[in-house]
Amino acid sequence: MCLASSRALLLGLGLLLTCHVQARLVPMEDEALSDVLAQDGSLFLSDHIAPNALANAPGDGSANFDFYRMGLDVKLNLNANMAKFQLGCGGVNDLLSSSAACDIDIDYLSFMGINNDGDFPSLDGPESAFELIRPYVELAVKNDHSPTLREVVGLKVGGQRINGALGIGRDYTGASKPSENFVGPGLETLLVNQEHGGTCNPSATTGQGVVNCHSGINSVSGFLSLELSAAIRARANMAGLYNADLDTCFGRMNPAQYGCGPNSLPFFVDASGTRLQTLHVAAAKLTVDDIDLNCAWWDAVCWGIVNPLANAIVDEGYGQLKIDMRQVHYLLTPNTENFFLSVQREKVSWPNYSKAPPPNNIAFDACNPSYGQIPSNGRCSSGYAPTANTGWWLNAPGAKILNINPPDRIDVGRVDLGTVISLLGPEGRLLIDNPKIDLPRVSNCYGSAVFC
């Protein structure tokens, strides 16, 4: 009995050894390896998107690449400060400007949390971390199937979604912050602009005198889909006849100002280009709360012509707003999808993370048809982001600059009669050039690596 058992044991061991020898690794061909993707639910993710494979690919060839994506199925919380953030300085894009510059040039950049209401960076320290959800790296490959012509033409770093705020630059006006009269780091009291030279003039209300009081975004290349809101008090001389005070607003304001409140129709604008320095709102529909003309009872011109025109503008008017980006001290990015930074040697239309057109049911998003402001560039129906130009590129759809509320009444000077009439349509020519706006620089004094 024992002998039989020993023989059976030896036979079993022999079979196991035989199976072990046969279970060896087998080399795979490159084509077979290229078909293997990371399994759903794994920590590491990879993907391949064929040329022009997604919905409504652009017709200019900018999506005619093989895209290879490698990422992590994680959420990364971070808090970071950078005194100088520059990419793409010099090079071919210098031909676009009269002086040497950078594709992206930002003084004092912070990645920080957003407040609990989701409409401002936290004034008293981070109430949350800056979140990067499913970070990844993506390559754009040209002539992928040619062994001699294959080349990488672009590199992209991004995330499926981010949630937080970007703090930007310094404020040299010496003013107090709106929270408990707190004057803190990032709000310099000596009025000397350390980044751009010269002395700040806090009494300036418009133009270059206002810009000199700020540092921040010197240039940025990319696509920004912004939700904006502003309440502006202006004074204009109406065709040399009368001075008028205009209390105007657009977008959703919190707290309510001049007829715009938290439930007002949001306002969206797309900004795109290489080395942008100015944010220009070309056709903002204005809610005009009041125009005070102070017409005398005997003045027939005022009562018969100017006053009816002013009342029409109160019902519906349009104007233009121009803001140097150095004044923009924060960008809100709450639950923003398809945020990425890329560099490319030629124009590339990068795929959306979802490989599908943006959703059309997101609150406070331009692609939501309920707001009637779907952009005409077709991005809301495409599986690709707006085309990235040569060089470095920042893609930030869904960013927000809310509650712009200049502290002073802006004197726009004399407005001719044609400009006054133009305010009744989207071609309104009244331009408010670089008003002093209330976007305080919030310090991100958090952790060990800070500038305060």
Side-chain angles (χ1 to χ4, degrees), residues 61-62 65 142 151 153-154 343-348 388-391:
S62 57
F65 305 101
K142 190 174 184 179
E151 61 177 328
V153 300
V343 59
Q344 45 278 319
R345 59 168 294 179
E346 58 184 89
K347 289 187 176 182
V348 175
N389 292 340
T390 301

Side-chain angles (χ1 to χ4, degrees), residues 395-412:
N395 191 74
K400 303 179 185 299
I401 306 175
L402 300 177
N403 301 319
I404 299 175
N405 190 8
D408 302 308
R409 188 172 293 277
I410 309 302
D411 189 350
V412 298

Side-chain angles (χ1 to χ4, degrees), residues 78-82 108-115 118-123 126-132 162-168 329-336 339 399-400 441-442 444:
L78 62 94
N79 185 285
N81 293 318
M82 287 171 277
Y108 293 95
L109 175 64
S110 297
F111 291 84
M112 57 191 301
I114 200 169
N115 67 358
D119 62 358
F120 198 79
S122 177
L123 288 169
E127 296 177 12
S128 62
F130 187 95
E131 298 177 337
L132 180 63
I162 63 171
N163 184 37
L166 303 178
I168 302 166
H329 289 306
Y330 67 82
L331 281 176
L332 304 176
T333 53
N335 293 314
T336 299
F339 177 90
K400 303 179 185 299
R441 173 61 168 97
V442 179
N444 189 34

